[in-house]
Amino acid sequence: MTTYAQAKASVLAKAPVAMTGASGFIGRALVRRLRDRDVPLRVLLRRPDPELEALGVEVVQGALDRDDSLRRLLEGATTLVHCAGAIRARRPADFTAVNETGTARLVRLAAESAARPRVLLLSSLAAREPGVSAYAASKRGGEEALLREAAGLEHFCLRLPAVYGPGDRATFGLFQQLSRGVGILPAPLTNRFSLLYISDLEKLVEHLLRQSAWSGGIAEVDDGRPGGYAWGELPEIAARQLDRRVRAVSIPRSLLWATATGSEGIAALFGQAPIWTRGKLNEFSHSDWVSRGPGPTEVEGWQPEVQLDQGLVATISWYREAGWL
Ligand SMILES: NC(=O)c1ccc[n+]([C@@H]2O[C@H](COP(=O)([O-])OP(=O)(O)OC[C@H]3O[C@@H](n4cnc5c(N)ncnc54)[C@H](OP(=O)(O)O)[C@@H]3O)[C@@H](O)[C@H]2O)c1
């Protein structure tokens, strides 16, 4: 008779797991976690990445708009973890091209492949409010593409809140300020949001890969703090955990709008994708980015362990040790 542990191990041993976005913040953490457990991985990379290659992954050079590379990625794969995504872009259409059209192409090719892998999509709570920004609309578009193109493939979707932790560049600026005793808050102090620490997301993905069947559901997940966090709480939590004064600085929306417009203009001059945009400001201005609970049973048995008090200290320590701070 097969034991539960053997059954779990065999689900993970079915090789290989194909992954997109492996060079990003979340993907890289997932690769480390899964390679630690000897899960065979094949990853899609746009450019060489010696660190990932040293972890023993099989690399397919390519991109979401190159069918040939996607077909190679999917060959014989039992599971596809799709975490490539554009979180910043020069133009709204660039979000669509990657997050919606790219997802549609990838899932269609997965459905057409002989292997027909099950698909895990890393989406965002932003998908709940597609009218808020071009990013949000593209993440909703990606979810709809998954449903439309899956053609009977097993699939599951995680709507993530803001994910943070060692190695993250997107939230680095905020942690940098807090570590220096200032919290510049780009949103009304009562606006609420959920968070998820990266190691808890790693555990969740591992947990999902161990499940033998996925229902096609969408799970909104978070770090387990009921009601999430209010922006106004951040400086208080940082002050308590870092044992220093942290001054909250609220900036009027008109000024935030002007700085976002300026940031877009400067980025356009240099041909870069800006981080701080009017779309991002609209996202921050939305009052409720709190996860509404995981729902689907696949998530049962996973318990997040790190809330912001611990996660903030661990993240700032990592930034210091890595020389970022
Ligand atoms: N981080 C968060 O707080 C958060 C929250 C909610 C949802 N998510 C979602 O989680 C996913 C990963 O986010 P992240 O924070 O890890 O982002 P990230 O650090 O910016 O990584 C994005 C990844 O996607 C890859 N990528 C982008 N465009 C691509 C294309 N056209 N073809 C192939 N690969 C492409 C990037 O490759 P290169 O290295 O070549 O650029 C990189 O590996 C995204 O889908 C994001 O929307 C993230």
Side-chain angles (χ1 to χ4, degrees), residues 148-256:
R148 195 175 59 242
E149 304 291 347
L153 291 183
E154 250 185 56
H155 56 87
F156 197 68
C157 174
L158 286 176
R159 273 190 180 165
L160 300 174
V163 182
Y164 71 101
D168 185 26
R169 293 184 187 281
T171 52
F172 170 63
L174 177 64
F175 286 104
Q176 184 180 40
Q177 292 163 24
L178 293 172
S179 73
R180 291 177 178 164
V182 189
I184 299 175
L185 305 176
L189 302 189
T190 52
N191 281 9
R192 301 194 74 84
F193 55 90
S194 292
L195 288 173
L196 185 59
Y197 189 65
I198 186 70
S199 62
D200 281 329
L201 175 57
E202 293 164 27
K203 285 179 201 154
L204 173 57
V205 170
E206 191 188 340
H207 175 82
L208 291 171
L209 293 186
R210 289 183 191 281
Q211 310 283 315
S212 52
W214 291 345
S215 63
I218 295 180
E220 295 191 3
V221 291
D222 63 19
D223 67 4
R225 191 177 206 247
Y229 302 84
W231 277 97
E233 286 177 273
L234 284 194
E236 291 164 24
I237 293 173
R240 198 165 59 237
Q241 295 302 320
L242 302 174
D243 197 19
R244 63 164 301 159
R245 185 164 174 262
V246 178
R247 198 159 46 91
V249 180
S250 286
I251 303 184
R253 187 176 160 84
S254 56
L255 184 55
L256 288 168

Side-chain angles (χ1 to χ4, degrees), residues 21 23-26 46-47 64 83-85 123 135 139 160-161 163:
S23 55
F25 163 56
I26 292 175
R46 293 199 285 187
R47 52 190 80 84
L64 289 176
C83 60
S123 185
Y135 171 74
K139 293 305 284 186
L160 300 174
V163 182

Side-chain angles (χ1 to χ4, degrees), residues 35-149:
R35 287 303 301 141
D36 256 9
R37 281 139 185 81
D38 286 331
V39 177
L41 285 181
R42 185 185 297 142
V43 302
L44 180 75
L45 290 180
R46 293 199 285 187
R47 52 190 80 84
D49 192 316
E51 188 198 331
L52 289 177
E53 282 161 38
L55 293 172
V57 297
E58 185 187 340
V59 173
V60 172
Q61 289 282 339
L64 289 176
D65 57 358
R66 281 184 41 199
D67 286 17
D68 56 330
S69 64
L70 300 182
R71 286 202 183 92
R72 270 182 285 130
L73 176 75
L74 294 163
E75 228 166 74
T78 52
T79 302
L80 167 65
V81 179
H82 180 31
C83 60
I87 61 170
R88 61 168 90 162
R90 277 188 281 175
R91 294 173 295 267
D94 296 345
F95 283 121
T96 315
V98 177
N99 296 339
E100 184 173 340
T101 314
T103 299
R105 180 179 294 114
L106 179 64
V107 177
R108 186 163 54 247
L109 290 173
E112 287 170 7
S113 70
R116 292 187 48 84
R118 58 185 180 161
V119 183
L120 174 63
L121 172 66
L122 296 202
S123 185
S124 164
L125 280 184
R128 209 164 72 188
E129 303 289 345
V132 162
S133 66
Y135 171 74
S138 71
K139 293 305 284 186
R140 171 66 79 88
E143 291 184 359
E144 289 170 354
L146 173 65
L147 295 179
R148 195 175 59 242
E149 304 291 347

